[in-house]
Amino acid sequence: MKIGIFITIMVLASLSVYGQISSQEAIKKLSFIKGKWEGKASVTTGPGQTMQLDQHENVELKLGGKILSVEGKGFNEGKLEFNAFAIITFDEAKQEYEMLSWLASGQKTKAYVTVQDDKNWEWGFDVPQGKVRYFITLNEKGQWSEKGEFSPNGTTWYPSFNMLLDKK
């Protein structure tokens, strides 16, 4: 009887692992942005106000493909105006992505990441005033296109960021 219970528990435990993906497989789904990128970004800085940036992104796989690191730098007329660093991992037990990001100003956030398909993913986070989300796409020209939106209520969304980069 004890052996039967043990076998049943082992079979059920193995079924719960079946269908799970490894962190390397999960991060690989995001790795189409791996490399050095340059282009233009437009950031909404207030009502009716935007800032144009020469944007540079450096994306690398780390720890054998288990982590994706992203560093972005935005320059306006040669002056560094934006600098961020993020790491994206995949929790194999939870089967979900985790993203931590930091700004040069000291601000940090924990964001969600959702893969749409092999050329599209979304990331975002809550802020005291509402929600922020970004959509990253590899377009038909092989460019990294990213659009950001802000919502005060999670229902109505306003454009806040637009970026188009070429791989170098």
Side-chain angles (χ1 to χ4, degrees):
M1 181 69 173
K2 289 182 183 180
I3 290 178
I5 293 172
F6 176 74
I7 290 172
T8 302
I9 291 171
M10 293 306 290
V11 168
L12 291 175
S14 69
L15 289 176
S16 68
V17 174
Y18 183 75
Q20 291 187 333
I21 62 173
S22 71
S23 57
Q24 288 98 334
E25 290 172 295
I27 294 298
K28 188 175 182 180
K29 292 180 181 183
L30 309 177
S31 68
F32 65 83
I33 65 168
K34 186 180 95 168
K36 293 183 187 252
W37 300 79
E38 293 179 10
K40 300 290 183 184
S42 176
V43 182
T44 301
T45 57
Q49 299 174 335
T50 59
M51 180 187 305
Q52 304 304 314
L53 299 171
D54 292 317
Q55 189 68 26
H56 302 261
E57 299 280 343
N58 185 26
V59 182
E60 298 178 352
L61 293 171
K62 302 286 187 180
L63 298 179
K66 292 182 180 182
I67 292 176
L68 190 70
S69 71
V70 182
E71 183 175 21
K73 293 182 178 182
F75 298 87
N76 183 333
E77 297 180 5
K79 180 182 174 195
L80 181 65
E81 294 286 347
F82 172 80
N83 189 198
F85 181 78
I87 57 169
I88 303 168
T89 60
F90 185 78
D91 186 317
E92 290 181 358
K94 294 179 185 176
Q95 289 290 289
E96 65 185 30
Y97 293 92
E98 297 174 339
M99 178 175 174
L100 297 173
S101 65
W102 298 265
L103 296 176
S105 63
Q107 294 171 296
K108 66 179 181 175
T109 191
K110 182 176 181 179
Y112 71 85
V113 174
T114 306
V115 174
Q116 311 298 326
D117 59 43
D118 65 341
K119 293 183 181 174
N120 297 282
W121 50 285
E122 174 185 339
W123 68 280
F125 52 93
D126 293 335
V127 293
Q129 306 83 4
K131 297 178 178 295
V132 177
R133 67 182 181 188
Y134 296 89
F135 300 94
I136 296 176
T137 301
L138 186 66
N139 70 19
E140 65 281 348
K141 295 180 182 178
Q143 296 170 304
W144 172 349
S145 173
E146 186 167 351
K147 298 188 183 311
E149 300 176 324
F150 165 76
S151 174
N153 57 19
T155 304
T156 306
W157 292 90
Y158 301 96
S160 61
F161 181 79
N162 192 22
M163 182 173 79
L164 187 62
L165 306 177
D166 293 303
K167 198 169 197 175
K168 297 299 168 188

